[in-house]
C-alpha cells in the first residue's frame, strides 16, 4: 500500500508544483499591487510611427492634465511590438498578468491584443488611434455606443473617406484611377476600403487594389498599381502601409505619381495632400478619459466616443510634392484657404485655425 501511495504522489507532484507556482505568482502580483504607492499604467503600441508616437505623447499629456504625471503621481511603462503581431500578443499577455491598474493602447492591433488578453477585465483599458473600433471584434456595437466591455473604453478616429476622395476629384476632375495598397488582415483597413470602394463607385473612379501582408510588400504593391495605370496613390488608415509611407512617397514620386492619405498631415513628408486628425489631440482626449477613469469614473457610464465629435479633421497641402502635374492637379482657391498647413514655392504657411467645412458623412453602399 505504501508503494502505491508513493506512486500516486509521484504522478501528482508535477501538477501540485504547477498549481503552487501559479498561486505564488498571483500572490506576488496581488502583493505588488497592494504595496505600490503610485497607480501603474502600461502603454502598448503596435509599431514605431509618427501617428502612434504622437497619440501616446498626447495620452501622457492628457493624463498629466488630470493629475497623473509620469514618475511623480503615476508609474508608466511603455511597450512596443515593433510591427510583430506575435510579439504584440505576447506583450499583451504580459501586461494583462502584470502589476498594472490600467493599460493604454495606440493602434487597432494593440487594442485587439490587449482586449483578448484582458478578456476577464482585470485591468481598465483605454484606447486611441483606432480608426473604426466597431469592426475590431472586441464587443462594441456600432448602433449603440454605450455597449462595450465594462472595462474597455476609448475613441474611434475614422477620418472621412468620401470627403477625401471628393478633395482629390475637385483638384483633378478628370481623375479616373487610384492605386491602393492595403492589408486586409487589419480591421481598420477593411473598413477604410469598404468606404473607399463605395465612394469611388459613386464618383466613377476605378480603385486599383493590391493587398499586402506586411510592410515589406507595400512597395511592390505600389509599383503594381502604377503599372496598371494609377494616376495617384491613396494610403488608407492602415498601420502596415503607413509604416512604409516614406518609401511609398519615394517610389510614387519617382514614377511621377502623387500620394494622398487620410492620415494626419506632416507638411514636409512629401504627400500631396492629407485629410486627417492631429494625433497629439487624438491622444490628448483619450489621456483625459484615462485620467478620469483613474480618478474613479466608472467606464460603464462612458460610451465609445468619436474623435470627430470633439476634434475636426484638417487639410494639409504640399504643392511642391513630387509627382504633381500642375496641368492636371489644380487646387481651387477655397481649398487653399481651408488648409491648416500649406507648402508652396514660397515656403510653408500655417493657419492653425483653418478648418474643413464638412459634411463628413459617408455614402451608403
Amino acid at each position: 500500500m505504501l508503494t502505491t501511495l508513493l506512486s500516486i504522489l509521484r504522478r501528482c507532484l508535477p501538477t501540485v508544483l504547477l498549481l503552487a507556482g501559479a498561486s505564488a505568482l498571483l500572490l506576488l502580483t496581488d502583493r505588488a499591487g497592494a504595496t505600490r504607492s503610485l497607480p501603474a499604467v502600461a502603454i502598448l503600441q503596435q509599431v514605431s510611427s509618427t501617428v502612434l508616437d504622437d497619440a501616446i505623447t498626447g495620452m501622457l499629456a492628457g493624463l498629466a492634465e488630470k493629475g497623473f504625471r509620469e514618475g511623480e503621481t503615476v508609474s508608466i511603462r511603455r511597450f512596443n511590438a515593433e510591427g510583430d503581431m506575435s510579439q504584440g500578443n505576447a506583450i499583451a499577455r504580459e501586461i494583462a498578468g502584470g502589476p498594472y491598474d490600467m493599460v493604454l493602447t495606440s493602434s487597432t492591433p494593440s487594442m485587439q491584443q490587449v482586449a483578448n488578453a484582458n478578456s476577464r477585465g482585470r485591468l481598465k483599458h483605454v484606447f486611441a488611434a483606432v480608426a473604426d473600433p466597431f469592426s475590431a471584434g472586441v464587443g462594441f456595437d456600432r448602433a449603440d455606443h454605450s455597449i462595450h466591455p465594462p472595462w474597455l473604453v476609448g475613441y474611434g478616429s475614422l477620418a472621412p473617406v468620401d470627403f477625401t476622395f471628393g478633395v482629390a476629384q475637385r483638384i483633378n476632375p478628370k481623375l479616373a484611377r487610384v492605386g491602393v495598397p492595403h492589408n486586409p488582415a487589419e480591421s481598420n483597413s477593411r473598413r477604410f476600403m469598404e468606404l473607399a470602394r463605395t465612394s469611388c463607385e459613386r464618383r466613377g473612379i476605378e480603385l486599383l487594389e493590391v493587398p499586402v501582408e506586411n510592410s515589406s510588400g507595400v512597395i511592390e504593391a505600389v509599383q503594381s498599381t502604377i503599372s496598371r495605370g494609377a494616376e495617384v496613390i491613396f494610403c488608407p488608415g492602415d498601420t502596415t502601409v503607413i509604416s512604409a509611407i516614406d518609401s511609398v512617397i519615394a517610389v510614387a514620386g519617382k514614377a511621377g505619381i502623387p500620394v494622398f492619405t487620410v492620415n494626419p498631415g506632416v507638411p514636409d513628408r512629401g504627400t500631396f495632400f492629407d485629410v486627417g486628425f492631429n494625433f497629439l489631440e487624438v491622444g490628448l482626449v483619450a489621456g483625459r478619459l484615462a485620467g478620469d477613469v483613474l480618478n474613479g469614473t466608472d467606464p460603464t457610464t462612458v460610451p465609445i466616443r468619436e474623435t470627430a465629435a470633439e476634434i475636426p479633421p484638417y487639410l494639409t497641402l504640399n504643392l511642391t510634392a513630387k509627382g504633381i502635374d500642375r496641368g492636371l492637379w489644380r487646387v481651387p482657391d477655397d481649398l487653399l484657404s481651408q488648409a491648416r498647413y500649406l507648402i508652396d514655392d514660397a515656403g510653408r504657411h500655417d493657419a492653425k485655425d483653418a478648418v474643413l467645412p464638412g459634411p463628413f458623412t459617408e455614402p451608403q453602399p
Side-chain angles (χ1 to χ4, degrees):
M1 182 172 178
L2 179 60
T3 302
T4 302
L5 181 60
L6 289 173
S7 176
I8 293 171
L9 286 174
R10 279 196 297 270
R11 289 198 301 269
C12 293
L13 185 59
T15 301
V16 172
L17 290 175
L18 181 62
L19 291 172
S23 298
L25 179 61
L26 288 172
L27 182 60
L28 288 172
T29 300
D30 289 342
R31 284 181 176 175
T35 58
R36 284 197 310 268
S37 59
L38 301 177
V41 174
I43 300 177
L44 175 60
Q45 68 187 93
Q46 175 62 17
V47 68
S48 298
S49 71
T50 301
V51 168
L52 302 184
D53 291 345
D54 281 354
I56 289 175
T57 299
M59 286 178 174
L60 295 173
L63 281 171
E65 282 189 12
K66 296 294 182 174
F68 296 99
R69 292 174 295 278
E70 185 173 6
E72 298 178 16
T73 52
V74 66
S75 172
I76 294 176
R77 184 177 176 188
R78 294 178 62 164
F79 298 84
N80 191 324
E82 296 296 356
D84 187 320
M85 295 297 285
S86 60
Q87 171 125 341
N89 284 317
I91 293 172
R93 290 191 295 270
E94 178 185 345
I95 291 171
Y100 304 104
D101 302 292
M102 173 178 285
V103 55
L104 308 180
T105 54
S106 177
S107 78
T108 300
S110 295
M111 180 193 71
Q112 292 169 315
Q113 289 158 352
V114 171
N116 290 330
N118 186 47
S119 60
R120 295 187 179 182
R122 179 176 167 270
L123 306 180
K124 300 292 193 299
H125 178 182
V126 177
F127 65 85
V130 174
D132 184 37
F134 304 102
S135 64
V138 295
F140 301 145
D141 187 334
R142 195 182 301 278
D144 186 348
H145 293 194
S146 67
I147 296 175
H148 57 81
W151 55 85
L152 175 57
V153 290
Y155 279 82
S157 49
L158 187 69
V161 176
D162 184 61
F163 182 90
T164 303
F165 275 92
V167 170
Q169 206 166 43
R170 287 193 63 200
I171 298 173
N172 181 359
K174 295 182 178 179
L175 179 62
R177 291 177 299 277
V178 176
V180 189
H182 64 98
N183 184 354
E186 293 188 24
S187 63
N188 269 359
S189 188
R190 292 194 299 271
R191 179 60 174 165
F192 274 113
M193 292 308 300
E194 289 171 2
L195 297 174
R197 291 179 194 117
T198 300
S199 177
C200 287
E201 181 179 2
R202 172 174 171 263
R203 295 178 179 278
I205 297 172
E206 182 182 3
L207 207 58
L208 305 175
E209 301 181 36
V210 180
V212 301
E213 294 182 355
N214 50 53
S215 57
S216 63
V218 173
I219 300 311
E220 184 177 347
V222 171
Q223 292 170 330
S224 173
T225 68
I226 292 172
S227 69
R228 292 159 58 193
E231 302 160 62
V232 65
I233 301 298
F234 168 60
C235 292
D238 181 308
T239 302
T240 302
V241 174
I242 295 304
S243 68
I245 187 65
D246 290 338
S247 298
V248 171
I249 293 166
V251 169
K254 188 175 180 179
I257 305 294
V259 177
F260 72 99
T261 82
V262 284
N263 294 279
V266 179
D268 56 357
R269 179 170 61 189
T271 49
F272 178 24
F273 74 89
D274 311 90
V275 175
F277 298 104
N278 181 333
F279 270 65
L280 287 169
E281 296 176 347
V282 169
L284 181 66
V285 294
R288 289 169 178 161
L289 174 58
D292 288 338
V293 172
L294 284 174
N295 278 323
T297 295
D298 184 352
T300 62
T301 66
V302 180
I304 303 301
R305 296 172 174 172
E306 292 286 353
T307 301
E310 300 180 32
I311 304 169
Y314 67 92
L315 173 67
T316 295
L317 276 168
N318 184 350
L319 305 184
T320 68
K322 293 181 180 179
I324 301 172
D325 181 339
R326 296 195 181 187
L328 294 174
W329 297 92
R330 298 180 178 180
V331 182
D333 288 342
D334 64 321
L335 273 180
L336 291 173
S337 68
Q338 292 166 9
R340 184 173 297 184
Y341 302 106
L342 170 66
I343 294 179
D344 59 19
D345 293 332
R348 173 171 162 172
H349 314 276
D350 294 359
K352 294 189 176 180
D353 294 329
V355 296
L356 291 169
F360 303 118
T361 55
E362 301 291 345
Q364 296 301 311

